[in-house]
Amino acid sequence: MSTENGLVRYDGQNFKLFNDTNIKGLDSNRMKFFEGNMVTDSLFSVNNAGNVILIHNRRATVTNDQSHNFQPLFRKLKNYWNTPPPQPIQLVKNNFMRHVLRDKSFFLVGNNAIKKYSKSGTLISTHNHTFSDSIQFFTKDDNLFALDKSGRFTMFKENRSVPIHADLPFDSNALIYANNVSNQVFLYSNNKLYDLTFTDKTVSGKIILEGIDFNTSRIYSVYYDQKNEITYLGSLTRGLCIAKKQYFQNIPTNTKTKDAIEYAINKLNDSTLVTATGVEIQNRKLVAQYEMITENSLRYIAQLDSSKNLWISKGETLSKFYANSSYTNYESVQLSEKIRSALIQGNNLWIGTGPEKNKNGQGILFVQDLGNPKIAPTPILRTPQMITSLAKESDSIMFVGTHQGLYRFNQKDHRTSLVKGLEKAYIRSMYPSENELWISTYEDGFFLYRDSQIWSFPLDKNRYLATAHCIIEDIKGYLWITTNKGLFQVYKNDLMAYLENNAKPIYYHYYDKNSGFSNNEFNGGGCPCGVQLPNQDIVFPSLDGLVFFNPSSVNPKVPDNDLYIDEIIVDGKHKFVGDTITLKKKDRIIFKVTSPFFGNPYNSQIEIRMDDGAWEPIGTSQTLSYTNLDPGQHFIRARRLAGFNAGYRYTSISVYVAPTFWQSTFFKALLILLLCTITYLTIILRTRYVIKKNVQLKKKINEHTLQLQHTVHMLRETKEDLKNQVSKQRKLVTAITHDIKTPLRFLTLTSKYSFDNFKRLSNGEFHESVKVMYTSSYQLSHFIENVLDYSFISLDSEKLDKDNFSLFNLIEEKIKFFETISASRKLKVDNQVPSSLSLSYNQQLFSIIIHNLLDNSIKHTYDGKIVFWHQKEEDRLTLNIEDTGSGMTAETKAYLYAKKMSIANGSYKQQFKQKGFGLSIVMELLMLLEGDITVKSEIGKGTLISISLNINH
């Protein structure tokens, strides 16, 4: 299109403006008329500045070829129109016009002659003729024609006038519109636009548009797209008008007593329909309404028997309206549940019922014998859910569709089987076709039942087909499917090809209300849900009446044109490109994919991918952007499904993204060299570091080895300490056994004596016995305390505290402790240690030593004497305890000496029930005090035990 702001390209979806913003060298945006040849893709336009613009390969450029610029030539010819307008201006005297032909020769039409010139301006021929002011001139097929006010056509050929017969309605205001570039001529007469076809003697016309006032709209130019049946009208004041042929007709069915919502329809005869709401349509016109039907119907059932009686339903009520009463008389019967579906086959009416889909309850299939004048449906089958649709496979097999699943019912043996693959599907409708059954569902799409198997199909891109209402097949092999979002057409052979090979795409052609119907929402659930008339008209119910169309006359506009990737946007700048482009690395690159397509945008589904990536849909924007493309060669492909049984159309472009400096081969080589150098230096430094670390590690290992050796030594010492503690515990047990015997035995004997002689004892004797038992018990208690002290000392010998204590008092305490026993053994114990002598040792430990020494002397002395005395020499103190007891044998003295030596060297192991354990305890405790012990004894003369201590300990 030429405008005062440049040239405009329209591809059916978008407008692209070409002017001085994207045409290099253009001096003016005000364009004139087109010339050239559309077949050779060479169109020209001239602007006011005399620039010749070539339109080729879908873009406009300024060319230096001035052969198409006739302005200099026509400036010499005064009173002639420089360019021929598409609408021929009626010839006025002294106001001449010219008509340029495809070979650039031209006609000049004057007052009395028609002259033909060559493209260089040389006169070729002259035809003398006198014209009136009302004649319109135009060219067709390089011939000059004229139309006068009376409607006569004349062709000027070889210096003669040839009348042309025209059988067209004509009025005095008829106008001719000639489009020389497309070689089209149009006649506008009586508010109708005709596309004219010429022969040597006749002219005929086909109406392509009507109802538009060209004069009021100031229509200036016309173009007719014959392939897509689209008319383009250019107005001087109202812009561009695009008129598309409507293949669908919407018939409203609303009246004063009903709305236009329809569900079930049926055909009364070849040209007449009746709806479940009681409306009769004949030849696409509403001719009657049956009020009684309207009042007693819920729209969903419209079954006609052989007598044209109409069966309808309202809730649980089934009604039969008689045709012979013009559908005023009827009979009704009440069923147990709401009637959901119905089907007349032969002499039977099949009725499906059921509760609401969200309520519990079974569906019931009834059958009514149409030969029985009484309406009495018989229940014949029960289903788990309500019955939504019915279809016949044969005389004995029926398909029963429910809210959840499809059942196959054998009427002969009443056996029912659930069809696998549709167990959870809401069956909406079924369409039998030869050995096939097409099934529409609610939310699951549509299916094919064939060879006892269910076949499913992919849905459209927006899943409109998920809720398919009704399916009807036309004579050309196309399925027409209604949905809540519009109407779909699909080629049956495409569906079958998909079943054989799932990789083959299916083209779904979509129609919306722009195609002629007033509302996109069709209705489903009616029985029948749609009909086909003998003249091939198909009729579907909708929310706004009925939609009629004839599939044979529908011309689907399929996207079968080529695709183009010839424009990119880099950094906001538009660039036209060829098959290969070279780019610098940019942050964002937008590729524009275009293609002439004059149909519904939903049917143009373009996908694009880069290299071996996934195909991505680009939507209505027809663009796809990439950010930070990797340097190197990229291959971008676009594709679009080209229509029914057509496959994909492809286009591609090669894109080379130049690498930046850091992405170049030189930089990469330099980087590799640098990395190698760094790696080498790293290895050297690492080696040195490892060597240094090895030295440090070796040093640490040596340190740890020494620490480990020290630890082992400490563990060994600990082991010995634990061993000694265990030995001491054993000795403690033996000491308890040894030293507790005497008081216990004495206590036992005294108790027994007192018990046996209780009655013979005097008070004094009994008092003495109790005193002895008390004394022995006290001694036993005191002994246990000493044993605990010894246990503490022997187990924790390193925590011995030193105390200053009086040795005299300690000995006196022990003498008093053994006083009763000493008396019983007739012993005198004498303490000759001075009272002023004090020691600085652990008092508890020393107490145990004195206790054991005195205890041993008492045990081995009877009716004798025990004396404590001491000797002091320089820094040593010797404490002696001497008794007049039985003395020791040489064997005992040798044993004690050996024990002393074994204790000294750590080899001593205490055995239970051996003699001299008290002295053993003394020996061990003296070892802790760094003291010594000596024993002198003779049989029958007594024993002298001396312990020697360092008073500076």
Side-chain angles (χ1 to χ4, degrees), residues 172-189:
S172 58
N173 295 319
L175 296 175
I176 286 290
Y177 290 87
N179 193 321
N180 293 337
V181 173
S182 62
N183 196 30
Q184 293 176 329
V185 177
F186 306 95
L187 172 67
Y188 177 73
S189 177

Side-chain angles (χ1 to χ4, degrees), residues 906-945:
S907 61
Y908 167 69
K909 293 183 181 180
Q910 178 63 44
Q911 300 294 329
F912 293 109
K913 297 184 180 180
Q914 53 184 336
K915 299 178 180 180
F917 180 75
L919 290 178
S920 297
I921 293 175
V922 171
M923 291 178 184
E924 290 189 14
L925 293 178
L926 285 173
M927 184 178 66
L928 293 177
L929 298 177
E930 297 179 357
D932 192 15
I933 184 172
T934 57
V935 179
K936 295 180 180 179
S937 181
E938 292 184 17
I939 295 295
K941 293 184 178 180
T943 302
L944 173 64
I945 296 176

Side-chain angles (χ1 to χ4, degrees), residues 14 25 90 133 149-150 177 210 242 289 293 295 316 328 341 443 472 515 533 573 587-588 614 616 659 675 808 823:
N14 301 294
Q90 296 178 356
D133 289 344
K149 277 284 186 180
S150 62
Y177 290 87
E210 56 184 317
I242 302 175
Q289 179 190 359
I293 295 177
E295 293 176 6
E316 298 87 358
T328 57
S341 56
E443 297 182 350
I472 292 180
S515 302
L533 299 176
K573 296 181 180 179
D587 289 337
R588 187 178 179 85
E616 301 178 42
L675 288 175
F808 173 82

Side-chain angles (χ1 to χ4, degrees), residues 446 450 455-459 490-508 645:
F446 67 100
R450 186 180 67 177
W455 304 87
S456 62
F457 301 94
L459 303 179
V490 59
Y491 192 39
K492 186 176 176 180
N493 287 348
D494 284 348
L495 299 175
M496 298 306 171
Y498 172 80
L499 296 183
E500 295 179 3
N501 181 4
N502 293 153
K504 288 189 175 182
I506 300 175
Y507 176 75
Y508 295 109
N645 194 29

Side-chain angles (χ1 to χ4, degrees), residues 668-683:
K668 290 178 180 178
L670 185 63
L671 183 61
I672 291 173
L673 179 61
L674 180 61
L675 288 175
C676 290
T677 303
I678 293 174
T679 303
Y680 173 76
L681 293 176
T682 302
I683 292 173

Side-chain angles (χ1 to χ4, degrees), residues 120-134:
S120 61
T122 302
L123 180 64
I124 299 176
S125 62
T126 301
H127 180 73
N128 295 320
H129 194 81
T130 302
F131 304 102
S132 64
D133 289 344
S134 60

Side-chain angles (χ1 to χ4, degrees), residues 407-629:
Y407 295 86
R408 194 168 180 268
F409 173 58
N410 191 316
Q411 301 171 41
K412 292 182 178 180
D413 56 14
H414 284 206
R415 295 179 62 183
T416 304
S417 59
L418 181 63
V419 177
K420 294 182 178 179
L422 293 175
E423 292 85 348
K424 299 296 182 180
Y426 186 136
I427 307 302
R428 196 68 166 158
S429 69
M430 292 181 281
Y431 179 80
S433 174
E434 296 180 354
N435 296 322
E436 302 167 343
L437 180 70
W438 294 95
I439 305 162
S440 68
T441 69
Y442 198 84
E443 297 182 350
D444 293 316
F446 67 100
F447 299 84
L448 169 65
Y449 179 82
R450 186 180 67 177
D451 300 330
S452 301
Q453 186 176 353
I454 288 291
W455 304 87
S456 62
F457 301 94
L459 303 179
D460 59 299
K461 65 177 181 179
N462 286 351
R463 294 182 55 84
Y464 294 161
L465 282 168
T467 303
H469 293 320
C470 192
I471 301 175
I472 292 180
E473 182 180 1
D474 65 22
I475 60 173
K476 293 183 178 181
Y478 291 93
L479 299 183
W480 297 85
I481 308 173
T482 59
T483 72
N484 284 335
K485 299 293 185 179
L487 177 66
F488 285 88
Q489 178 187 8
V490 59
Y491 192 39
K492 186 176 176 180
N493 287 348
D494 284 348
L495 299 175
M496 298 306 171
Y498 172 80
L499 296 183
E500 295 179 3
N501 181 4
N502 293 153
K504 288 189 175 182
I506 300 175
Y507 176 75
Y508 295 109
H509 193 80
Y510 175 68
Y511 300 90
D512 60 13
K513 61 183 181 180
N514 293 322
S515 302
F517 37 90
S518 61
N519 194 298
N520 283 339
E521 187 166 351
F522 289 84
N523 285 330
C527 299
C529 60
V531 297
Q532 186 170 21
L533 299 176
N535 66 353
Q536 304 307 318
D537 274 0
I538 293 177
V539 187
F540 287 119
S542 76
L543 282 180
D544 190 16
L546 302 178
V547 176
F548 281 76
F549 66 96
N550 193 308
S552 298
S553 63
V554 174
N555 178 22
K557 299 175 181 61
V558 297
D560 56 357
N561 289 309
D562 292 334
L563 296 170
Y564 302 94
I565 307 177
D566 56 3
E567 186 176 0
I568 63 172
I569 303 174
V570 182
D571 289 344
K573 296 181 180 179
H574 291 251
K575 294 182 179 181
F576 293 101
V577 294
D579 295 336
T580 303
I581 57 174
T582 299
L583 300 172
K584 295 181 180 179
K585 185 174 177 63
K586 300 292 181 182
D587 289 337
R588 187 178 179 85
I589 302 173
I590 300 176
F591 294 90
K592 299 192 71 174
V593 184
T594 58
S595 175
F597 177 59
F598 302 90
N600 193 313
Y602 193 84
N603 296 320
S604 178
Q605 301 176 20
I606 300 176
E607 298 174 307
I608 193 170
R609 77 172 182 182
M610 175 175 286
D611 301 328
D612 295 326
W615 290 101
E616 301 178 42
I618 62 174
T620 56
S621 66
Q622 297 185 342
T623 61
L624 191 65
S625 62
Y626 292 95
T627 302
N628 291 325
L629 283 178

